[in-house]
Amino acid sequence: MKQRFYLKLIASIIVLLLNGCQQPKQEEASSLNQVLKIKELSDLASVEFTVTKIIKATDDSTWYKIGDRKILMSCDAKIKAGISLADLTEKDITINGSNISLILPPAKILYVNIPPESVAEQYAEIDFLRSEFSIAEKNAFLQVAEKDVNNTINELGILTAAEKNTKTIIESWLNIAGFKNININFKK
Amino acid sequence: MFFKKLIKIIATILILAAITYAILIYTGILPSPLAIFKPHKPKVEISATFLKEVKNMSQLLTVCHYDEITVDSIENKKGSILNIFDKQRKLVLIVRGKTFAGFDLSKINEKSLLVTDTSVQLTIQHPTIIDVVVNPSTVETFIEKGTWSVYARTTLLQTAQNKLTHRAVAAGILSRSEKEGQRVFTQFFKSLGYKNVSVLIQ
């Protein structure tokens, strides 16, 4: 009788160890319920910066896993910047004969584009006892790179370049339109 | 008698060992038996940003079409005794993308912009699809069976871009873009003081 009790107890502990020590799965909130739509824009894109990112991922922080599992990837991100012409109002324009003064809206980032063809796997080392990196994992690494690009955009000076080029574009149009003295500034 | 005592000793040792193991798992010193086989979150390091190219442009973006599609790639594995139960390699991605349409304004010159005292006539080319943006943050791996390369991901996402373009065109993105272009330029030149503004799209 006691033997059976001990055996049952041991079996129960083993089952608990196998099943109970797992971390609960966190269900990611689905973002599929976004409204699909067409949005109208009035954005004048004046500059595009292409930047490169190198992504290094290593999976060797767990001491009980034997063998290396590492990957080196690269991707390009194209950042487009310009101004929104919709924010330009009549109040921002002063005309006096052939003289014109414009106060344009400040430059902004229009969008960041990571073209799929720019993503490359540069190097991977997967030991015999380890599994290959999945597409989901590689995509997660690229998401980190994308976030990093978004966080470092302002350090690139793209907005200054966008304002400079926008000024050149608008000046050329106004020159053709016959204005002689053109003064363009940007809102702060 | 001896046998009973031996079983008791073994059982006590096993229980103590199990409790110790459970405590070690709970404190994180030892991994749980299933965690050993589970993939661990790798450490990711991102390099500094290298500026590769600066391109000056003159584009008017007038419409953005948001859409969500699924793309898949399915391959049947060749007959192997190991693949009896799992004969397919499958990759299904859910892709949310943005399709931008607009005008290339780099060719605006004295011939395309005719100005008189109170009127202006601008001639521009038809709008085109400027970019189809499919970023990693908008790609979700729904099913992944088998091993797939980055090249396979690229091919599948390019298919997604083509699909998004076709759907945007079918939704009338180019005609909307044309109308928006006319509206934006008319408004721009009217605010410069021109009473008659005509925008021709060729």
Side-chain angles (χ1 to χ4, degrees):
Chain A
M1 194 68 183
K2 271 188 179 175
Q3 281 175 21
R4 274 191 183 175
F5 170 74
Y6 278 120
L7 283 171
K8 274 183 184 173
L9 191 68
I10 292 164
S12 307
I13 289 168
I14 290 168
V15 169
L16 276 172
L17 283 173
L18 284 170
N19 296 314
C21 297
Q22 290 179 59
Q23 289 280 328
K25 273 188 184 175
Q26 286 183 346
E27 282 190 18
E28 280 178 27
S30 169
S31 49
L32 298 181
N33 52 358
Q34 275 193 347
V35 181
L36 310 180
K37 59 177 180 178
I38 286 185
K39 190 183 170 190
E40 278 140 9
L41 312 164
S42 313
D43 293 338
L44 179 67
S46 57
V47 74
E48 185 182 75
F49 277 27
T50 305
V51 296
T52 300
K53 280 279 174 193
I54 307 288
I55 307 142
K56 190 171 86 178
T58 45
D59 183 10
D60 54 7
S61 56
T62 41
W63 58 267
Y64 51 86
K65 287 183 178 175
I66 303 156
D68 277 341
R69 188 172 182 253
K70 50 179 86 170
I71 191 167
L72 200 64
M73 294 172 74
S74 67
C75 70
D76 286 351
K78 290 177 185 287
I79 308 155
K80 217 169 245 192
I83 62 158
S84 171
L85 287 176
D87 297 337
L88 182 71
T89 60
E90 283 183 21
K91 284 179 191 169
D92 302 320
I93 303 166
T94 315
I95 301 169
N96 185 10
S98 63
N99 304 332
I100 186 166
S101 177
L102 260 87
I103 300 169
L104 295 175
K108 62 175 186 178
I109 303 297
L110 303 177
Y111 56 87
V112 175
N113 180 16
I114 300 180
E117 62 275 12
S118 78
V119 175
E121 187 177 313
Q122 303 289 353
Y123 178 80
E125 191 181 300
I126 318 285
D127 281 349
F128 179 68
L129 292 169
R130 307 299 303 274
S131 60
E132 292 277 341
F133 283 101
S134 66
I135 290 294
E137 280 180 296
K138 288 171 189 170
N139 198 60
F141 303 153
L142 292 166
Q143 282 179 13
V144 179
E146 185 187 340
K147 208 173 170 185
D148 196 76
V149 169
N150 284 316
N151 291 338
T152 53
I153 277 177
N154 292 334
E155 295 164 18
L156 299 168
I158 187 167
L159 296 180
T160 314
E163 288 189 350
K164 196 179 159 194
N165 280 336
T166 303
K167 201 173 171 180
T168 311
I169 294 164
I170 304 277
E171 267 176 359
S172 73
W173 294 353
L174 296 174
N175 262 323
I176 297 170
F179 290 100
K180 296 275 183 323
N181 297 314
I182 302 157
N183 182 27
I184 296 174
N185 288 303
F186 290 87
K187 283 178 196 167
K188 295 293 170 197
Chain B
M1 194 68 183
F2 173 74
F3 184 69
K4 269 188 180 177
K5 261 190 177 178
L6 188 71
I7 284 184
K8 261 189 185 178
I9 291 165
I10 292 169
T12 313
I13 290 168
L14 281 174
I15 289 166
L16 283 174
I19 290 167
T20 314
Y21 184 39
I23 291 167
L24 289 173
I25 290 168
Y26 185 73
T27 51
I29 297 166
L30 280 181
S32 75
L34 290 178
I36 294 169
F37 303 104
K38 267 189 168 180
H40 191 81
K41 207 174 179 185
K43 188 182 162 194
V44 184
E45 285 173 53
I46 308 292
S47 71
T49 306
F50 298 107
L51 186 58
K52 194 175 169 185
E53 192 188 354
V54 175
K55 197 168 139 189
N56 294 339
M57 56 177 55
S58 179
Q59 289 175 343
L60 181 70
L61 308 172
T62 49
V63 181
C64 177
H65 181 255
Y66 298 83
D67 202 354
E68 183 172 72
I69 55 158
T70 57
V71 278
D72 60 59
S73 185
I74 299 169
E75 279 176 20
N76 287 318
K77 287 177 183 173
K78 282 178 185 168
S80 157
I81 195 115
L82 295 170
N83 297 331
I84 293 170
F85 301 109
D86 189 13
K87 287 188 172 175
Q88 272 190 341
R89 226 159 61 91
K90 197 187 277 184
L91 182 63
V92 182
L93 302 177
I94 301 171
V95 182
R96 288 192 304 280
K98 287 188 274 187
T99 308
F100 290 91
F103 298 86
D104 178 11
L105 306 177
S106 60
K107 286 164 192 164
I108 290 185
N109 54 29
E110 286 164 2
K111 284 179 188 169
S112 50
L113 190 63
L114 302 172
V115 182
T116 60
D117 284 348
T118 55
S119 65
V120 63
Q121 183 185 299
L122 174 69
T123 309
I124 47 175
Q125 289 180 337
H126 279 285
T128 54
I129 300 293
I130 289 183
D131 269 321
V132 184
V133 179
V134 168
N135 283 341
S137 60
T138 59
V139 175
E140 190 188 322
T141 311
F142 184 61
I143 298 173
E144 185 175 4
K145 279 168 105 181
T147 307
W148 294 88
S149 65
V150 167
Y151 177 74
R153 177 190 179 273
T154 303
T155 311
L156 211 49
L157 288 182
Q158 283 174 332
T159 309
Q161 284 179 316
N162 288 335
K163 225 171 162 179
L164 287 166
T165 306
H166 285 130
R167 282 165 65 103
V169 170
I173 191 173
L174 293 175
S175 56
R176 286 279 284 272
S177 179
E178 206 169 293
K179 277 181 195 165
E180 270 304 294
Q182 280 175 324
R183 189 192 61 77
V184 170
F185 277 114
T186 305
Q187 202 177 315
F188 178 72
F189 284 109
K190 279 203 168 168
S191 61
L192 291 179
Y194 295 99
K195 283 180 184 156
N196 303 315
V197 181
S198 128
V199 181
L200 302 174
I201 294 169
Q202 287 184 341

